[in-house]
Amino acid sequence: MALLITPKCINCDMCEPECPNQAISMGMETYEIDSGRCTECVGHYDTPTCQKVCPIDNTIIKDPAHAETQEQLWEKYVLMYHPDEIQTGRPC
């Protein structure tokens, strides 16, 4: 599933530059995560980097409104970075 930044966010600016998918941006009051771009770092890292760098525990959580399996997160990653692989069924 995509991740979600809760209202506990203190706008420390740590998470945004860490996101390899550019899924994090400043919202109206706090940072927000674009669920269409968030892969929980699947395809890049073993664990979400935004959660690693966040100084406030449990501020970045799994978004229950956007449940996705590891396979779905992987497919989202492939569609963003290797769309030809999906269309042809062959590695780029």
Side-chain angles (χ1 to χ4, degrees), residues 13-85:
D13 303 319
M14 296 293 291
C15 60
E16 182 183 26
E18 292 296 322
C19 181
N21 297 323
Q22 298 176 325
I24 301 175
S25 61
M26 180 53 88
M28 294 299 286
E29 295 186 25
T30 60
Y31 280 95
E32 298 176 348
I33 297 177
D34 177 349
S35 61
R37 296 196 61 80
C38 179
T39 64
E40 295 185 37
C41 289
V42 167
H44 297 284
Y45 306 108
D46 292 334
T47 59
T49 56
C50 61
Q51 287 179 324
K52 279 185 167 180
V53 300
C54 183
I56 310 297
D57 289 339
N58 301 314
T59 297
I60 303 174
I61 61 171
K62 290 184 182 276
D63 186 350
H66 295 97
E68 296 171 293
T69 64
Q70 285 295 110
E71 291 78 23
Q72 289 170 317
L73 293 169
W74 176 255
E75 187 171 307
K76 189 189 307 185
Y77 163 80
V78 172
L79 285 171
M80 284 193 291
Y81 295 98
H82 305 286
D84 293 339
E85 193 172 319

